[in-house]
Each structure stands twice: as structure tokens, then as C-alpha cells.
Amino acid sequence: MSAPVSSTPRARPLLSTMMDVPLTVQTILERIRTLYFDREVVSLMVAGRDEAGNPVPEAHRSTYGEVAERALRLANALTALGVQQGDRVATLAVNSYRHLECYLGIPSMGAVLHTVNIRLHPDQVAWILNHAEDRVLIVENLFAGLIPAIRAACPGLEAIIVMGPTPTPIDGVLDYDTFVAGHSSDFAYPDLDERQAAAMCYTSGTTGNPKGVLYSHRSTLLHSLAAAPKDALDVGERDTVMAIVPMFHVNAWGLPYTCALVGAKQVFCGMFSDGKNVARMLEQEQVTITAGVPTIWMGLLGELDRAQTAGTPYDLHRLNSLVVGGSAAPEAQIRAFQTRHGLKLNHAWGMTETHPLGTVSVLPVGVDLISDEGYALQAKQGRTVPLIELALLSDSDEQGGAGELLPHDGKTMGRLMARGPWVAASYYKGEGQSNFMTLGGKLWFDTGDIATIDARGYMHIQDRSKDLIKSGGEWISSVDLENALMAHPAVAQAAVIAVPDPKWDERPLGVLVLVAGASAPDHAELTAFLAPRFAKWWLPDAYEVVAAIPIGATGKFLKRELRDQFTAYQGAGTASRD
Ligand code: AMP
């Protein structure tokens, strides 16, 4: 035996001889400019309106070369406007080539791309723009009607730029295409620190206001690298990817960046995400990977079934996977796509704070896709992608301690904790500190989800510790609605809970306790009462009057009990998203 290596303590570990190259979005922009310039980018845009006033789609075709050139012009144009490193530039836009230009151009100049949810009420949009301290807003012409209200409510906004033509010119507003065309594509990239912010998204707000998450250049690059491999989203240069998940929702699950990094063709369907338009685009563009929430897939399934029954099925033979996330994909839906159309749903889990990809339900070696075991595993949220760690924690103890780590036995439910290089370590402006905690010397993020993890690492979401309602992939805050309802003179107490809905997964049901002697206001009256303050799709579809709402020890409504009480309640599947 040789003598043991001497263990004399060294002052510090030996550093490697490797380069420390910053990981930045500039790399992605340069790849599409220099390598993938002739790969196509196809966007469904609104060409006009039909006689009934419905938007008519038209495919706009460009290339990565054109997108890169315009992204660089945009960076020059924003610089000329006075935008500096660290400044927030907001977008209020649908998925399109123009939005992709913003994704690449804004971070590459060191500014921060702040994508804002187009489905929020204008007051919420204004709140977020003010909180983020956005200096510039780039808004799709479809939402130009909001500009006067936003301008009045957001004095910090120094410039507004509109994407696409507007019926009448709007005073003091720049036209995006003219703005971009007026500047050179010869842009001198600034040196960036990979840890500086590249993009920003707001959470949907659990108990009160939404919180900002700032994605770094480094986290964006690492997330793109982690999302591309075979056992993650399986994206390569030969793919054509249609992200239906909106570009304001966690960077469309990072797909615009992942696709550009590897050179995959991108297809955007803008505001046309109904079953017919989605099916048509999947077929026409020979899409290989698409991504969306279960509601989108429900619409697509209906259209595929209809076309099959009519004897005119769509030709989707190139479609390898439909990534599904944002809400749990029901096993019945996974089975229906596979058995009726030979299509595979690829179930993934993540959240705004995890950039978002955390897990993907790829099957382990030896388990057949088309088997009971295979379907059951696919209905779980899956195993972590490399570099993401998950843990389960018990509830905090009576002394307010963090709780204990729980076993991964597939049965024990716990608070799902996450950590990794693309998981938030804090919120913007230091808010929401209690969601971050150090356990055994490591920083963890408390996701707010309740889950199990089995011995093979398959995570399964059981519930949300929050009581938000997820309708069509978008959150509805029950707390906000309750607070508003309780302002009605006839309402003493209000709890808003999620009920299952065949179209939107969940819809809100208002449960009311009336003021003594008051008569119950009808649905129309309550709708009119709430309408000025909320987007229409947030409003409860139905109300139930009860004698009392169950209250827990800490004085909070026991929503779980209420949900049990109304477990047979079903949404009608008819609510509209507009
Ligand atoms: P958001 O930050 O809006 O993306 O919402 C994140 C939340 O959506 C997570 O904390 C989960 O509660 C839920 N979620 C996301 N993906 C899934 C999934 N595949 N199954 C169940 N819930 C999901």
C-alpha cells in the first residue's frame, strides 16, 4: 500500500485553469445572427376583422437573421432614447417575432425585459409598471386602448412604443417598426456581468400584491441549456417549436431563448390560441414540439376529435410532444391524446420563481409509455432536470421553527422546497422574505405547493398551500375577490374557492354569508358590482349563500372544508376569457 497523501492544511483550494466567460443573452443573439440566420420565425398576426368583428389571422414570416438585425437596431434605438443598463423596459404584448426581438435586444444592451401579463385589469398593470419603475413600455396595438389610462397612472413611464399600426395616431407614442428602422444594426455590445438582471416577471400575488422576480443572464443561459436536452424538453436545431404559453408567462417557459440557442424554428400563434387555429398551425408549419397549459390542450383535443370524426384528420405526424404545465395535466387527458391521436403530452412543473423548469415527467428506462404504470407516472409532475434540487418539509413547528425534512416515499406530503441556479433567491425590493430559508446551510425557496416525491424522484403536486384559483393557466386571486365582495352592503362574509371546470380547469365560486335581514343579491348585481375593478374572466360564475363559513384556529377561512362542501360543484365550461 502506498503512503497516505499528506494532509497539510492549504490556505485555499487550487483554482482551475479554465476561462470564466460570462453567460449572457448576447450569446444567444449572436448564435441566431451568425449560425441560424436562415431559420424561420412564423407569427400569426391580426390582418383585420371579419364582418362580425372577429380578428382574422395572417402568417407573418421572418428569419432569425432578420430578428437578430432588428433586435440590434432596437438596442441602438433604446440607447438613443436614453435607456441605460439596469433600466426596466416593459412589454405588454402577444407572442410574435417583435416580442422575440425585445427578448433578445433589451437584455443584450444590459437593460431588463419586463414582460407584463396582458390579461390583468388595467389597474393591476399600472400597479406593476409603477412597482417595477419601468421607464419605457412597448405595447401591442391590440391593447393600445389602455394607453391613456396607463399614462395617467404611471408618471414614471418616459416613453411608450406601439407594436403594429393603430387606427388613429396616438399623441406622443412611437411606432415600433419606425423606431427600430431608424437606427443601425451595428451595435457595440456592452460588457455585462452574468449576474445582472436580464428579465423580470411578477408572480400572481397570493395574499396581496404580486412580487417581482429578476432573472439573471446566467440563470437564463443555464436554464436554456438545461431545457434543451432529450430528457427535458428535447429541443434541437431540426425542431419547429410553437410555444402557446404566453411570452409574459415566465418567459414562455424559457422556450424563445432555448429555441434560439439551439437554432430551432419558432412559430407563434399570437392571440389565436383556440383549437382550430392551433391545429391548423401545427399542421401547416409541421411543428415538432408545442407547449401550453391543459386548457389549451383541451381545446385542441376537441378540434382533433371533431376533424377525425368528420373524416378529415389533421396531419400531425411530425409532432413529437405537447409540453403541458402550469396546472396538473389530468391522466385522462394524457390518455386521450395518446390513444385517440397517438400524441404524447410531456408533463412539466415549474413556476415564476423557478424560471420555470423544475421537473419533467420523462419515464424511467423499462416503463412503457402506453401502460397503466406509464400513464400514472406521466400524470405526476416528474423528476428534476439537472441542477435543480427538491425537498419536502413538514409544517413549521409550534415555536415557528422551519419544520423537518420529510422522506421521499411517494406517500408523505410536505411543503415543496426548491433550489438551483435558476431558482429565485429573493424577490425584487426584498419583499416576501419568509419564502426563502436556510436549511442545513443551504438556501431553499418554499414553492407554496404541497407534494409527494417517490423513491425514484417523481414529484407529485397534491395541493396548493395558497388558495389561488387557476383558470386557463392564469391565477385568479381569491383574496382580492373576497375583499371586494365583502364591500357589498348585503354581504357579511365572502370566500371564493376554485371549482372544477371542464374548459378552464378551475373557475371561481363565491360563497357568501349575508348581513342579517338582507336579501341575497343576484348574480347580475354582484357581477356589476365587481366589474369595474376586475378583468371579466376573474368574476365568479356562480354564488352560494351559506349560514357560516368554517373558520380555523388562526381566524382564517378553512377553504379546504368549503371545497369539500362544494365538491360536486362543476363549472359550466362556458366562461369567456375576454
Ligand atoms: P406560475 O408562477 O404562475 O407559473 O404558477 C406556478 C404554480 O403553478 C406552481 O406553484 C404550481 O402550483 C402550479 N403548477 C405549475 N405546473 C404544474 C403542474 N405540472 N402540475 C400542477 N401544478 C402546476
Side-chain angles (χ1 to χ4, degrees):
M1 240 171 70
S2 56
V5 175
S6 139
S7 61
T8 317
R10 259 195 284 273
R12 61 195 178 100
L14 182 61
L15 284 182
S16 78
T17 59
M18 305 313 287
M19 289 188 191
D20 195 4
V21 176
L23 308 177
T24 74
V25 170
Q26 294 168 349
T27 308
I28 305 181
L29 178 43
E30 276 306 286
R31 280 184 76 81
I32 63 163
R33 191 179 72 81
T34 57
L35 301 183
Y36 309 126
F37 45 85
D38 52 2
R39 291 293 276 149
E40 254 191 320
V41 175
V42 183
S43 316
L44 264 196
M45 310 300 288
V46 177
R49 303 263 161 185
D50 64 15
E51 279 167 7
N54 298 316
V56 177
E58 183 181 63
H60 171 280
R61 292 184 179 273
S62 58
T63 61
Y64 271 147
E66 286 161 7
V67 165
E69 193 197 300
R70 282 165 54 97
L72 291 165
R73 287 178 191 274
L74 174 66
N76 269 326
L78 289 171
T79 306
L81 198 64
V83 173
Q84 298 178 13
Q85 286 207 28
D87 284 344
R88 272 75 75 206
V89 177
T91 58
L92 200 56
V94 300
N95 294 12
S96 81
Y97 66 102
R98 290 194 185 103
H99 211 165
L100 183 61
E101 292 159 11
C102 295
Y103 260 55
L104 296 163
I106 294 168
S108 290
M109 62 184 284
V112 182
L113 167 81
H114 173 202
T115 52
V116 182
N117 187 335
I118 58 175
R119 298 199 186 115
L120 295 177
H121 186 275
D123 290 351
Q124 293 170 309
V125 171
W127 187 93
I128 287 175
L129 295 177
N130 284 330
H131 188 267
E133 299 172 43
D134 293 313
R135 289 188 64 198
V136 176
L137 171 66
I138 301 179
V139 52
E140 193 87 37
N141 57 359
L142 301 167
F143 317 119
L146 299 177
I147 290 176
I150 289 178
R151 197 152 35 192
C154 305
L157 269 186
E158 293 165 44
I160 300 182
I161 302 165
V162 177
M163 290 169 157
T166 50
T168 48
I170 308 169
D171 225 16
V173 164
L174 299 164
D175 168 64
Y176 179 88
D177 289 343
T178 315
F179 182 62
V180 165
H183 291 266
S184 152
S185 62
D186 190 6
F187 179 70
Y189 288 116
D191 286 338
L192 300 181
D193 182 329
E194 65 175 13
R195 292 164 303 176
Q196 74 188 67
M200 178 180 212
C201 283
Y202 273 73
T203 64
S204 318
T206 48
T207 48
N209 291 326
K211 296 189 251 325
V213 180
L214 288 164
Y215 305 135
S216 65
H217 281 263
R218 175 185 157 82
S219 69
T220 305
L221 255 280
L222 289 174
H223 181 271
S224 306
L225 286 169
K230 204 164 182 50
D231 286 339
L233 304 186
D234 193 8
V235 189
E237 187 180 348
R238 274 151 206 79
D239 281 302
T240 296
V241 179
M242 184 161 92
I244 303 169
V245 49
M247 285 171 94
F248 62 73
H249 195 176
V250 212
N251 287 174
W253 300 346
L255 280 166
Y257 289 127
T258 303
C259 293
L261 185 75
V262 302
K265 168 178 165 179
Q266 297 199 51
V267 180
F268 298 112
C269 51
M271 63 174 300
F272 302 96
S273 57
D274 58 285
K276 212 179 206 99
N277 276 304
V278 167
R280 202 181 295 149
M281 285 305 272
L282 291 173
E283 178 178 65
Q284 178 187 305
E285 300 303 323
Q286 299 269 293
V287 171
T288 58
I289 300 164
T290 178
V293 295
T295 304
I296 294 288
W297 302 142
M298 195 168 300
L300 176 66
L301 187 61
E303 173 61 11
L304 297 186
D305 287 346
R306 185 205 60 75
Q308 200 164 53
T309 310
T312 52
Y314 289 91
D315 173 7
L316 303 183
H317 74 276
R318 292 213 52 213
L319 187 55
N320 291 330
S321 91
L322 299 92
V323 182
V324 57
S327 292
E331 189 178 322
Q333 190 176 58
I334 298 171
R335 281 181 186 264
F337 269 99
Q338 187 68 58
T339 54
R340 304 214 288 264
H341 303 286
L343 293 173
K344 183 178 175 303
L345 290 195
N346 193 12
H347 199 181
W349 166 88
M351 55 198 307
T352 305
E353 291 89 334
T354 66
H355 211 323
L357 199 58
T359 64
V360 184
S361 201
V362 173
L363 296 183
V365 174
V367 175
D368 274 349
L369 187 68
I370 304 169
S371 68
D372 285 347
E373 187 188 6
Y375 284 127
L377 278 178
Q378 288 175 71
K380 295 187 176 189
Q381 282 67 23
R383 294 196 286 197
T384 51
V385 290
L387 308 189
I388 293 291
E389 293 172 60
L390 296 179
L392 297 175
L393 206 62
S394 66
D395 258 347
S396 37
D397 58 32
E398 279 169 10
Q399 287 78 43
E404 284 172 14
L405 286 172
L406 298 172
H408 293 184
D409 57 10
K411 294 195 293 278
T412 311
M413 279 191 218
R415 288 149 61 202
L416 183 67
M417 314 295 290
R419 69 189 310 274
W422 51 89
V423 176
S426 63
Y427 289 111
Y428 180 54
K429 297 185 173 170
E431 290 164 0
Q433 286 295 355
S434 59
N435 294 317
F436 304 92
M437 62 190 72
T438 304
L439 300 167
K442 288 176 166 182
L443 182 65
W444 289 87
F445 167 66
D446 188 342
T447 65
D449 286 330
I450 305 296
T452 58
I453 300 177
D454 71 16
R456 284 193 290 202
Y458 281 81
M459 188 271 285
H460 194 189
I461 302 273
Q462 305 292 320
D463 203 348
R464 290 195 293 274
S465 56
K466 316 157 191 166
D467 287 310
L468 285 167
I469 298 151
K470 201 147 200 196
S471 193
E474 298 291 331
W475 292 117
I476 294 175
S477 167
S478 55
V479 177
D480 289 359
L481 286 169
E482 286 159 11
N483 288 341
L485 280 169
M486 284 192 271
H488 189 282
V491 177
Q493 285 184 329
V496 177
I497 55 167
V499 292
D501 183 274
K503 181 169 178 195
W504 300 110
D505 285 341
E506 292 179 351
R507 290 291 306 154
L509 168 74
V511 183
L512 309 177
V513 176
L514 298 181
V515 168
S519 54
D522 67 12
H523 183 263
E525 182 185 338
L526 288 168
T527 300
F529 182 71
L530 295 176
R533 307 192 15 214
F534 298 97
K536 216 159 91 193
W537 62 274
W538 270 45
L539 304 183
D541 295 343
Y543 293 91
E544 283 288 336
V545 173
V546 293
I549 292 174
I551 307 261
T554 53
K556 291 188 193 147
F557 292 153
L558 290 178
K559 297 251 184 102
R560 189 189 277 266
E561 277 189 23
L562 266 189
R563 283 195 290 261
D564 289 347
Q565 201 173 325
F566 293 101
T567 188
Y569 225 99
Q570 269 278 336
T574 50
S576 138
R577 180 24 79 70
D578 306 321

